[in-house]
Amino acid sequence: MATPVERLFALFDETAKILQDELQCTYLEAVAETGENVFHGDVLQEEVSELNAKRLKKQYTGIQLERFTNEEIRKAFQLAVLKGMKEHVQPHHQMTPDAVSLFISYLVNQFTRKHLALTILDPAVGTANLLTTVLNHLKGKQTKSYGVDVDDVLIKLAYVNANLQKHAIHLFNQDGLQPLFVELADVVVCDLPVGYYPHKENASRFVLKAEEGHSYAHHLFIEQSLYYTKEGGYLFFLIPNTLFSSDQAAKLHEFIKEHAVIQGLLQLPLSMFKTEKAAKSIFILQKKGENVKAPKKALLAELPRFSNKQAMQAMMRKIDEWIAEEKGK
């Protein structure tokens, strides 16, 4: 018997293949188109032949979205997107692993326990997998969320993904390092785009620009995120482990020291990555403000494998104790 996620993935996959042929587009673009059709329960593309339109409509009306949880919808849509990304590989088309997104959701919950309402920003939102995972796991809070991405295919997927899960995310198709039209955030979550930023003129606005040559996009995204965070707000970044050993690390360290306090650095298990060079960590900052105090000791840990339930539960107990001690009950 197929699970709900498998059933929904099969629908996305089969209908995307039909649309890919009909619209002469990539599988990834077809996933966005079929996701929109699923949301409306209809075939919105006029160029689809009558025969295929009938086939598609039969499949769309045969599935009732309200019978699926948000997480089931997100996971099924994510599987289709991942399949599309394998066929259509571009370096910035990479999705935050599910276990990492879930763990970041847990951290956001723990650090914002006392908030009743949250404004959340992801300045490099991609397909909104990380952002919607966080939204799906926020318990009993009012939320307002913003996502920004320069890639038009990814932002269309983010829009469809958010609609299917009934999240009202304000999405902007623009370079996340240009001026943003968003409210200041209580929480920033971002899987930082790693590499050089090509637009020298825009980079020159930033403190963390390179003195010569191209600046690091991931450094600029940290600076940009801090500008768009409220005083006392939290930032959860997925960073390369090499962040503080690069040639521009000293400048970054100074900038962070001036504008934020480091709450924690949690190293992801090396087994998650193909090479040690590709390994990442979760970096937690709090923007300086009136009542912001640096922790007595920052939360530093190497996370066990996510598949090791006992070790993960023990780690989460440690983090809960640390938060209770540092942030009060």
Side-chain angles (χ1 to χ4, degrees):
M1 187 68 177
T3 66
V5 172
E6 286 164 346
R7 282 200 347 261
L8 205 45
F9 167 70
L11 169 80
F12 287 135
D13 183 44
E14 287 160 23
T15 54
K17 282 183 205 152
I18 295 169
L19 286 170
Q20 185 181 8
D21 286 344
E22 284 275 347
L23 304 174
Q24 296 293 294
C25 64
T26 65
Y27 177 85
L28 204 52
E29 287 163 328
V31 168
E33 295 293 334
T34 204
E36 203 154 0
N37 291 349
V38 169
F39 180 69
H40 290 281
D42 203 355
V43 180
L44 303 179
Q45 300 76 18
E46 287 171 7
E47 42 292 50
V48 175
S49 69
E50 206 177 320
L51 182 67
N52 273 333
K54 269 189 183 152
R55 281 172 66 197
L56 288 166
K57 194 153 183 188
K58 192 177 172 192
Q59 286 190 266
Y60 296 143
T61 49
I63 203 115
Q64 289 165 301
L65 265 192
E66 53 279 4
R67 293 194 169 175
F68 296 86
T69 67
N70 267 5
E71 278 295 272
E72 285 164 352
I73 294 169
R74 183 187 66 75
K75 284 174 180 167
F77 192 71
Q78 179 198 11
L79 287 172
V81 169
L82 283 170
K83 180 180 171 180
M85 285 180 176
K86 282 192 182 114
E87 289 175 16
H88 184 79
V89 179
Q90 280 180 268
H92 61 285
H93 282 192
Q94 285 188 340
M95 204 182 274
T96 312
D98 232 31
V100 177
S101 295
L102 287 165
F103 193 74
I104 290 174
S105 305
Y106 152 75
L107 291 170
V108 171
N109 256 314
Q110 292 302 80
F111 276 86
T112 62
R113 283 187 308 183
K114 294 177 179 172
H115 290 66
L116 298 175
L118 287 178
T119 301
I120 305 174
L121 166 68
D122 186 338
V125 75
T127 63
N129 191 53
L130 172 59
L131 182 54
T132 56
T133 307
V134 170
L135 291 172
N136 285 343
H137 291 87
L138 279 176
K139 298 175 185 82
K141 296 183 201 300
Q142 275 186 310
T143 57
K144 197 171 198 179
S145 47
Y146 295 90
V148 184
D149 207 283
V150 73
D151 186 299
D152 53 350
V153 175
L154 297 186
I155 210 82
K156 173 92 189 272
L157 288 160
Y159 165 76
V160 172
N161 196 9
N163 272 348
L164 290 168
Q165 297 177 62
K166 296 190 169 60
H167 288 307
I169 302 172
H170 303 271
L171 292 166
F172 297 89
N173 185 192
Q174 67 161 94
D175 177 350
L177 295 173
Q178 292 283 357
L180 304 179
F181 300 98
V182 300
E183 286 178 46
L184 294 185
D186 298 291
V187 168
V188 170
V189 294
C190 189
D191 187 343
L192 293 175
V194 176
Y196 290 109
Y197 180 59
H199 308 296
K200 269 189 174 175
E201 198 178 319
N202 189 44
S204 68
R205 301 185 304 116
F206 290 86
V207 174
L208 293 176
K209 64 179 183 286
E211 294 310 321
E212 280 172 21
H214 286 300
S215 308
Y216 286 130
H218 40 300
H219 289 202
L220 302 185
F221 267 102
I222 291 173
E223 181 175 339
Q224 177 85 326
S225 298
L226 277 160
Y227 291 148
Y228 286 95
T229 305
K230 292 176 188 173
E231 287 191 358
Y234 291 102
L235 303 96
F236 302 84
F237 294 122
L238 207 53
I239 61 163
N241 284 358
T242 54
L243 187 71
F244 290 109
S245 56
S246 77
D247 53 339
Q248 296 172 34
K251 200 170 170 185
L252 174 68
H253 203 270
E254 276 309 303
F255 181 84
I256 288 172
K257 222 162 78 177
E258 191 182 333
H259 295 276
V261 297
I262 294 174
Q263 293 286 344
L265 185 66
L266 301 167
Q267 199 174 321
L268 293 168
L270 291 177
S271 58
M272 286 186 80
F273 305 94
K274 285 193 181 107
T275 63
E276 199 169 325
K277 221 172 109 182
K280 294 189 173 189
S281 296
I282 299 168
F283 189 36
I284 309 161
L285 297 176
Q286 186 177 20
K287 185 169 174 173
K288 284 188 173 173
E290 218 172 301
N291 299 313
V292 175
K293 291 200 285 282
K296 291 192 267 303
K297 87 174 183 283
L299 180 61
L300 304 173
E302 276 183 43
L303 296 177
R305 284 174 184 247
F306 288 106
S307 54
N308 183 340
K309 284 219 170 75
Q310 267 179 311
M312 268 318 284
Q313 280 167 347
M315 176 59 70
M316 284 157 91
R317 273 197 301 275
K318 269 189 192 159
I319 293 171
D320 293 349
E321 283 164 17
W322 182 91
I323 285 178
E325 199 176 304
E326 290 288 347
K327 307 281 169 198
K329 295 278 186 268

